[in-house]
Amino acid sequence: MKYKFATFVVAIATLPAASMLGAQQDAQKEIERYRQLLADGNPAELVEMRGEALWKEKRGPKNASLEQCDLGLGAGKLEGAYAQLPRYFADVDRVMDAESRIVHCQIALQGFSKDELSKRPYSLTQGERQTDHEALTAYVVGLSRGAKVALPQAHPKEKESYLRGEKMFFFKGGPYDFACATCHGVDGQRIRLQDLPNFQKADNAQRAFTTWPAYRVSQGAVRTMQWRLYDCFRQQRFPELAFLSPASVDLITYMGVKAQGGTMDSPAIKR
Amino acid sequence: MKTKLLLTLLASIVIASCATVATSPKAPSDAEVTAALKASFKETASAKIDRLDQSELQRACSVASETGKDLDPKVREALQAKSLASVKYPADGKYLGDWKRGEAIAQSGRGLQFSDAPGAAAGGNCYACHQVDKAEISHGNIGPTLWNYGKLRGNSEAIVKYTWARVWNSHAFNACANMPRFGDAGILTEAQIKDVMALLLDPESPVNK
């Protein structure tokens, strides 16, 4: 682990120097090489481990662990569960994504309040300890590594979530007239040097969906899919996306269905 | 006993019919989607919920991209004409400012985000989507290259006014253009647009070398 981490630091240090040398093609190759080097030592492993300890610890007003949490495959069955979320849950009569369901379990099993859990779901500054939410989500998604994305769409509410998500994806608004589709609806598009997945293409959608949550090197933190949407909408100049909002769930359903059949490889590591 | 059996039977019929009703998902209306969006965001700094109230153009262009169908030609013309009419040309007749300041504006991606201080000067973020000065290799490709923009086109009055209008409200020339309305939406000030104009058109700008 220590050795891997050193490789990772060297990769960061050499990137800017290398990319200054050549044309853009070289810069892109360098970034690809950098990504491969990073994959060798992903600090997300540490966050997953903390998430596992938190999951099994008796906590909250009810002094219970999350081990009986049902993420859709039955109480306590976590392997592969993330790859089949969002899905419909009869006990709440609605569709939930993984992050909504984890919070639901913290409320139902441990007695935490939703307000308390929603106050600060994402860590803010670099070097700050990851939030419990980020750690729990990293742990849960790590147990779906290698599982195929297979969101159920048989329940009408699952299908409706997809259909709303689709409309939201194409919804242009705000002072910049941006929709998700503005940047994520055409092949081969980039913002600066960052490649943008086109969600109308299965391979693009799979690569994006299966690699979130991810450890973001530039932020020194594991970021979740709810955060990914939150930060996209910030740059889209929309108002602030609320944690666990209906739009978050519907858009994750939309992206997940577009990514059906992809192989989960998260927490991944990104620039 | 018989009553109990009957009740059970009745209950199962009710459940079964509910299940039948519930098997067909209904396509969400635009109003439902907008309501769901409005319930999903909170107002922070300058980013208010009214940003989710779509203009006629935003609505028409959302539908066009979702369905993959082009705008009706008459609708397109009307939207473009309205956008062109929104353009305010500089009162003093001067179109070009300082290309150096223009380059700084082209580099900055700040402004109008919920994380930005309200009223703080925004950038144009041109490099996010365009190649501008070739020396900057970190540029996007959503828009066309602007390298040698002025060198290739000259700076006749027609070109200068067209470029101003394009930056002010790009929907004047392409109703569903991806480029923000830098003047019309109040993203950049008139003085900032002059600086960006100089970056594109001033013969001294590195863009035209």
Side-chain angles (χ1 to χ4, degrees), chain A residues 24 156 177 190 192 240 242, chain B residues 22 40 42 44 139 141 171 181:
Chain A
Q24 203 176 300
D177 312 317
R190 289 197 324 263
R192 293 273 185 165
E240 188 174 357
Chain B
S40 296
K42 50 189 181 186
T44 306
H139 64 79
N141 65 357
H171 303 309
R181 296 164 282 125

Side-chain angles (χ1 to χ4, degrees), chain B residues 95-124:
Chain B
Y95 285 84
L96 303 192
D98 175 353
W99 66 260
K100 285 181 189 151
R101 284 199 302 258
E103 167 68 14
I105 293 163
Q107 289 280 2
S108 168
R110 291 198 175 278
L112 282 85
Q113 301 171 115
F114 63 72
S115 54
D116 290 320

Side-chain angles (χ1 to χ4, degrees), chain A residues 212-271:
Chain A
W212 284 97
Y215 183 85
R216 283 290 298 271
V217 176
S218 55
Q219 304 188 3
V222 168
R223 295 305 191 191
T224 68
M225 186 59 108
Q226 290 255 346
W227 176 89
R228 178 59 279 173
L229 294 174
Y230 169 88
D231 208 52
C232 265
F233 277 122
R234 175 177 68 83
Q235 295 165 87
Q236 213 172 309
R237 272 70 182 181
F238 275 39
E240 188 174 357
L241 185 65
F243 181 54
L244 313 182
S245 72
S248 314
V249 176
D250 291 342
L251 280 163
I252 296 170
T253 302
Y254 176 71
M255 293 189 294
V257 169
K258 290 288 180 188
Q260 297 281 39
T263 305
M264 287 303 298
D265 187 21
S266 172
I269 186 162
K270 293 172 187 270
R271 63 164 177 96

Side-chain angles (χ1 to χ4, degrees), chain B residues 1 14 19 42 44 60 63 88 100 124 130 132 135 150 154 163 168 170 180 198 203 206:
Chain B
M1 192 64 191
V14 171
K42 50 189 181 186
T44 306
V63 172
K88 290 195 187 81
K100 285 181 189 151
H130 297 279
V132 192
T163 306
W168 193 277
S170 68

Side-chain angles (χ1 to χ4, degrees), chain B residues 119-187:
Chain B
N125 211 12
C126 312
Y127 284 102
C129 298
H130 297 279
Q131 181 183 49
V132 192
D133 180 356
K134 259 191 173 169
E136 174 57 270
I137 61 160
S138 175
H139 64 79
N141 65 357
I142 295 176
T145 179
L146 300 174
W147 171 248
N148 277 357
Y149 184 92
K151 196 176 178 180
L152 294 171
R153 293 170 181 80
N155 50 9
S156 65
E157 196 193 336
I159 286 294
V160 169
K161 289 188 81 171
Y162 160 77
T163 306
W164 183 274
R166 187 102 208 183
V167 174
W168 193 277
N169 189 343
S170 68
H171 303 309
F173 308 97
N174 173 4
C176 297
N178 288 328
M179 187 162 116
R181 296 164 282 125
F182 289 101
D184 184 54
I187 300 163

Side-chain angles (χ1 to χ4, degrees), chain A residues 19-20 22-24 27 154 156 159-160 163-164 166-168 170-178 181-183 188-193 196 230 233-235 237-242 245-248 250, chain B residues 22-23 25-26 28 30 33-34 36-37 40-42 44 47-49 51-52 54 58 61-62 65-66 107 109-115 127-128 136-142 171 176 178 180-181 185 187:
Chain A
S19 61
M20 290 298 281
Q24 203 176 300
K159 190 75 190 166
E160 283 164 12
L163 292 170
R164 278 191 307 271
E166 181 176 46
K167 281 193 176 285
M168 289 169 181
F170 289 99
F171 184 98
K172 278 180 192 253
Y176 283 41
D177 312 317
F178 287 163
T182 306
C183 292
Q189 290 201 140
R190 289 197 324 263
I191 295 255
R192 293 273 185 165
L193 288 181
L196 304 164
Y230 169 88
F233 277 122
R234 175 177 68 83
Q235 295 165 87
R237 272 70 182 181
F238 275 39
E240 188 174 357
L241 185 65
S245 72
S248 314
D250 291 342
Chain B
T23 44
K26 53 183 179 53
D30 291 342
V33 170
T34 305
L37 281 171
S40 296
F41 288 87
K42 50 189 181 186
T44 306
K48 308 295 183 202
I49 295 296
R51 290 190 178 184
L52 301 169
Q54 288 180 309
Q58 288 173 338
C61 292
S62 299
S65 88
E66 188 190 328
Q107 289 280 2
R110 291 198 175 278
L112 282 85
Q113 301 171 115
F114 63 72
S115 54
Y127 284 102
E136 174 57 270
I137 61 160
S138 175
H139 64 79
N141 65 357
I142 295 176
H171 303 309
C176 297
N178 288 328
R181 296 164 282 125
I187 300 163

